[in-house]
Amino acid sequence: MGLVSDGSTDDTTLSERWLTVPDLVDLLGVSPGRIHRLFEQKTLLPARVDGVLRVPSEFLDDTEPLPELRGTLIVLGDNGFSDDEAVRWMLSEEPALRTSPIAALRAGRKAEVRRVAQSLL
């Protein structure tokens, strides 16, 4: 999957469902400002999909951000990943994990995912 010229993710198939800010407001029951603070804090991370900020549904555990996500997103950011690149990596098959990083996080493999993320340059 690549990025189109405006920096948007050009493949919507990596996630089962992409959630917009209004979707997140409804789902989490918080204000749009709170959603943007979650983005700033790396508690949730959006990618631009078709020019719109969207979050993969896999980043949520029922109606809350997946708690294990934040530390991994911080590691990726520290390694120079843009938000779009970090989201793409989290959703794509990672050979070292034999699954996608988000699937590994959801399976309780947080330390392994972060170790792999730290090794990326």
Side-chain angles (χ1 to χ4, degrees):
M1 179 180 94
L3 297 176
V4 293
S5 60
D6 67 355
S8 296
T9 304
D10 69 355
D11 186 352
T12 58
T13 63
L14 285 176
S15 176
E16 290 180 17
R17 180 172 172 222
W18 290 94
L19 303 166
T20 63
V21 170
D23 293 335
L24 291 166
V25 165
D26 290 343
L27 188 63
L28 301 179
V30 298
S31 69
R34 177 70 180 135
I35 298 297
H36 287 283
R37 279 191 296 285
L38 292 173
F39 294 165
E40 290 167 8
Q41 297 165 347
K42 302 285 191 223
T43 302
L44 278 177
L45 196 63
R48 285 212 177 266
V49 178
D50 297 329
V52 176
L53 284 179
R54 299 176 193 263
V55 172
S57 60
E58 292 87 348
F59 286 7
L60 298 173
D61 186 12
D62 293 320
T63 59
E64 294 293 324
L66 193 65
E68 300 83 2
L69 188 61
R70 185 172 186 265
T72 304
L73 295 176
I74 290 170
V75 168
L76 292 170
D78 288 349
N79 278 352
F81 278 59
S82 71
D83 289 354
D84 285 343
E85 291 167 335
V87 170
R88 185 180 338 124
W89 184 78
M90 290 296 301
L91 296 172
S92 298
E93 182 81 15
E94 171 54 53
L97 299 169
R98 287 177 263 157
T99 190
S100 67
I102 193 64
L105 274 182
R106 294 180 75 84
R109 298 166 54 194
K110 176 175 71 174
E112 185 180 358
V113 171
R114 291 190 185 161
R115 199 169 31 254
V116 172
Q118 287 173 335
S119 72
L120 302 172
L121 294 178

